[in-house]
Amino acid sequence: MTEEFHRIRRLPPYVFASVNQAKAAARARGEDIIDLGMGNPDTPTPPHIVSKLIETVNDPRSHRYSVSRGIPGLRKAVAGYYDRRFNVKLNPDSEVIVTLGSKEGLANLASAITSPGDTILVPNPSYPIHQFGFIIAGASVRSIPATPNEDMLRALDRAVRHSVPKPTALIVNFPSNPTAYLADLDFYKELVAFARREEIWILSDLAYAEIYFGDLVPPSILAVPGARDIAVEFTSLSKTYSMAGWRVGFAAGNERLISALTRIKSYLDYGAFTPIQVAAVTALNGPQDCVADLRNLYKERRDVLIKGLHSAGWDVPSPEGSMFAWAPIPEPFREMGSVAFSKLLLEEAGVAVAPGLGFGEYGDDHVRIGLVENTHRLRQALRSIKGFMAAHGVKAPPSSNPASKPESVTP
């Protein structure tokens, strides 16, 4: 009776716990902590979406159970979004399902398609559910490079030749959390050709599809001819419309995978609260100025953050997408690893970041910095970071000329 439960034994200690505890202790002492460690949008949900929620929740008929696969209107709205945004035509009845955010959908699909001992290919570093959704389901995970280039493709080829049993599924996530890498359609074409040849499922996490800053507009893997033979894609309204707490997203693509997820969910939930789904329809079908405004806001924050870090002597690549900067630990602190560095930065500068180790062992030489505070708070954090760096002997560069700014993270 004292032995740890089997599935819990497969989960390592929560990497972020010690940093979170230190953050809570500092706040309990009355210290002002600027938290750039969470991927939690700080902007309000657009008013027209909130108004639709209020209108719908005032109808008592909306208080009943919903349906686990999502109301028809929302599945049609998702199909409409894919048609407008990616020129991908989906059948809302067989190729779309509503999820409680992309995280829930990924975890439940992992449970639906995994047999004990299966081998799953997951980028490292990567968002934790990409790996642990399958580990909880009983699979073994093999790490591959997180970069959308030849390194990943060569690693995939090696994994197929040298893994026993042969891999059954591959996770991809572009724009990536935490690395902020973007992939183009040509890369997806190579990935789809590989997966079809080797008969491997692809699960694509596209949660940051609408947060991009350069010329490369993130594509959908489903835009590749033949992708729906082997691929399903998850996305969410959390970041696009600042609806993180609403817990609504969707999966789209391969009918067999959508059917498997639908069947699993039919045993586990009754779907998102109907007023939330109705409001989600308004988000997808309504005016999209709010999406462009949010994108511009994150770009402004990105520019302030990267310029400020550079002037402090911390060279950080400028992300071309997502709401994060993936920051190499400065050289004087590199040997201590991401958890110890994150705690030191918190203690001495009052700035919280996410240790890269939480996203996989190959992320331990980085920290993730979120664009989740306004520019005033970011500049406040940057002043503290600059003082922290100077106290440890890190000299600022002689010039903050924009021509010398860190290069983009796009491979």
Side-chain angles (χ1 to χ4, degrees), residues 224-402:
V224 176
R228 275 181 280 181
D229 293 341
I230 44 84
V232 69
E233 192 157 65
F234 291 88
T235 192
S236 164
L237 305 191
S238 295
K239 309 305 190 295
T240 306
Y241 300 98
S242 291
M243 294 173 67
W246 298 54
R247 305 317 303 137
V248 59
F250 45 86
N254 179 267
E255 288 190 11
R256 188 178 172 198
L257 294 176
I258 295 297
S259 176
L261 180 54
T262 301
R263 189 166 180 181
I264 283 285
K265 281 176 62 63
S266 70
Y267 282 90
L268 298 177
D269 67 69
Y270 287 107
F273 186 37
T274 296
I276 290 177
Q277 295 193 58
V278 173
V281 173
T282 296
L284 289 170
N285 289 347
Q288 299 301 300
D289 301 14
C290 56
V291 179
D293 291 344
L294 195 63
R295 187 183 303 126
N296 290 332
L297 177 68
Y298 283 129
K299 184 178 186 297
E300 179 187 13
R301 292 178 178 183
R302 178 204 66 169
D303 293 344
V304 167
L305 177 71
I306 298 302
K307 182 180 179 181
L309 291 175
H310 182 63
S311 69
W314 189 354
D315 266 354
V316 176
S318 181
E320 289 297 310
S322 85
M323 55 191 290
F324 307 109
W326 186 234
I329 297 174
E331 187 59 43
F333 312 98
R334 189 72 53 86
E335 292 301 317
M336 67 171 51
S338 61
V339 176
F341 174 72
S342 297
K343 292 172 74 173
L344 186 67
L345 189 66
L346 178 68
E347 291 164 5
E348 297 191 7
V351 177
V353 296
L357 183 62
F359 305 97
E361 63 270 32
Y362 297 119
D364 198 26
D365 56 356
H366 284 68
V367 294
R368 191 192 71 177
I369 305 175
L371 305 174
V372 291
E373 287 280 6
N374 61 46
T375 54
H376 171 74
R377 290 285 278 173
L378 282 177
R379 289 190 174 97
Q380 182 182 343
L382 289 163
R383 286 193 295 271
S384 296
I385 290 172
K386 190 170 186 176
F388 165 81
M389 299 281 277
H392 286 272
V394 178
K395 295 181 179 179
S399 170
S400 296
N401 189 325

Side-chain angles (χ1 to χ4, degrees), residues 32-343:
D32 179 24
I33 301 299
I34 302 176
D35 192 353
L36 307 179
M38 294 291 290
N40 199 2
D42 63 309
T43 55
T45 305
H48 67 286
I49 302 172
V50 176
S51 295
K52 178 55 71 171
L53 173 75
I54 295 170
E55 174 191 328
T56 310
V57 85
N58 279 323
D59 181 353
R61 291 173 300 176
S62 71
H63 301 175
R64 301 171 179 175
Y65 288 127
S66 188
V67 287
S68 60
R69 62 197 296 244
I71 61 174
L74 182 49
R75 286 184 278 114
K76 289 176 182 176
V78 171
Y81 163 73
Y82 262 84
D83 192 8
R84 294 189 306 271
R85 172 69 164 78
F86 304 113
N87 196 28
V88 171
K89 298 190 183 302
L90 297 168
N91 183 334
D93 294 323
S94 60
E95 294 180 313
V96 177
I97 183 173
V98 177
T99 62
L100 307 178
S102 56
K103 185 174 182 178
E104 173 269 321
L106 279 158
N108 278 327
L109 184 58
S111 176
I113 68 174
T114 301
S115 300
D118 279 357
T119 299
I120 309 298
L121 305 175
V122 180
N124 189 340
S126 185
Y127 186 56
I129 197 62
H130 298 157
Q131 177 179 184
F132 290 107
F134 282 98
I135 287 175
I136 292 169
S140 298
V141 168
R142 177 165 179 157
S143 294
I144 58 171
T147 50
N149 57 25
E150 288 298 320
D151 289 343
M152 179 183 282
L153 294 171
R154 283 193 294 267
L156 291 174
D157 184 64
R158 288 194 301 270
V160 167
R161 289 187 285 112
H162 299 299
S163 296
V164 178
K166 177 183 173 181
T168 58
L170 161 67
I171 307 292
V172 291
N173 169 215
F174 304 110
S176 171
N177 175 12
T179 63
Y181 291 138
L182 271 67
D184 59 22
L185 201 59
D186 286 339
F187 176 76
Y188 280 145
K189 288 176 181 176
E190 293 192 66
L191 208 60
V192 167
F194 165 83
R196 293 185 67 188
R197 183 173 66 250
E198 301 296 342
E199 298 184 328
I200 294 174
W201 298 114
I202 296 178
L203 280 61
S204 170
D205 182 351
L206 195 63
Y208 295 89
E210 302 305 334
I211 303 180
Y212 55 90
F213 312 123
D215 295 332
L216 176 55
V217 178
S220 164
I221 198 170
L222 300 181
V224 176
R228 275 181 280 181
D229 293 341
I230 44 84
V232 69
E233 192 157 65
F234 291 88
T235 192
S236 164
L237 305 191
S238 295
K239 309 305 190 295
T240 306
Y241 300 98
S242 291
M243 294 173 67
W246 298 54
R247 305 317 303 137
V248 59
F250 45 86
N254 179 267
E255 288 190 11
R256 188 178 172 198
L257 294 176
I258 295 297
S259 176
L261 180 54
T262 301
R263 189 166 180 181
I264 283 285
K265 281 176 62 63
S266 70
Y267 282 90
L268 298 177
D269 67 69
Y270 287 107
F273 186 37
T274 296
I276 290 177
Q277 295 193 58
V278 173
V281 173
T282 296
L284 289 170
N285 289 347
Q288 299 301 300
D289 301 14
C290 56
V291 179
D293 291 344
L294 195 63
R295 187 183 303 126
N296 290 332
L297 177 68
Y298 283 129
K299 184 178 186 297
E300 179 187 13
R301 292 178 178 183
R302 178 204 66 169
D303 293 344
V304 167
L305 177 71
I306 298 302
K307 182 180 179 181
L309 291 175
H310 182 63
S311 69
W314 189 354
D315 266 354
V316 176
S318 181
E320 289 297 310
S322 85
M323 55 191 290
F324 307 109
W326 186 234
I329 297 174
E331 187 59 43
F333 312 98
R334 189 72 53 86
E335 292 301 317
M336 67 171 51
S338 61
V339 176
F341 174 72
S342 297
K343 292 172 74 173

